[in-house]
Amino acid sequence: MTFQEYDFSKLRGRIKEKYGSESSFAKAMGMTNGALSQRLNNAVEFKQSEIYLAIKLLSIPEPEISKYFFAPKVQFSLTSAGRFEQSVSTK
């Protein structure tokens, strides 16, 4: 099974801004540090209920939700012709 990988760098920044650390945020979310880490590293997908709670805890405005949770992780590779090629990362 493959799924879209997401870039959570903006979300990580918001977590640090509002909670100081990912471990403090994980506690507020009612999950372990490991569980949060799995989600932020694309090993496990966020559940809808987790996204909803995170939006509330982090005060993310509705029009900006996709920037935090659904920004595709983009990869660049160098082709044999010496050109950069962009692709969206999947697992």
Side-chain angles (χ1 to χ4, degrees):
M1 181 171 94
T2 63
F3 65 92
Q4 172 72 49
E5 283 192 275
Y6 296 104
D7 178 356
F8 292 116
S9 57
K10 190 169 180 75
L11 179 60
R12 285 179 187 270
R14 185 72 167 224
I15 290 168
K16 184 136 183 145
E17 174 188 322
K18 296 285 187 176
Y19 282 86
S21 69
E22 290 178 10
S23 61
S24 294
F25 180 67
K27 187 174 184 177
M29 287 284 294
M31 63 175 61
T32 65
N33 295 341
L36 178 61
S37 178
Q38 287 179 320
R39 285 153 180 79
L40 294 175
N41 290 308
N42 287 290
V44 174
E45 292 183 325
F46 276 97
K47 296 176 186 172
Q48 288 182 358
S49 59
E50 294 167 343
I51 292 172
Y52 181 79
L53 179 57
I55 289 165
K56 298 298 177 200
L57 292 173
L58 296 171
S59 303
I60 297 173
E62 189 174 330
E64 295 184 24
I65 293 169
S66 62
K67 294 175 186 176
Y68 288 90
F69 289 95
F70 304 107
K73 191 173 193 175
V74 178
Q75 294 179 334
F76 292 92
S77 56
L78 190 59
T79 67
S80 58
R83 296 185 183 147
F84 282 103
E85 200 171 74
Q86 179 179 341
S87 63
V88 176
S89 180
T90 60
K91 277 192 174 181

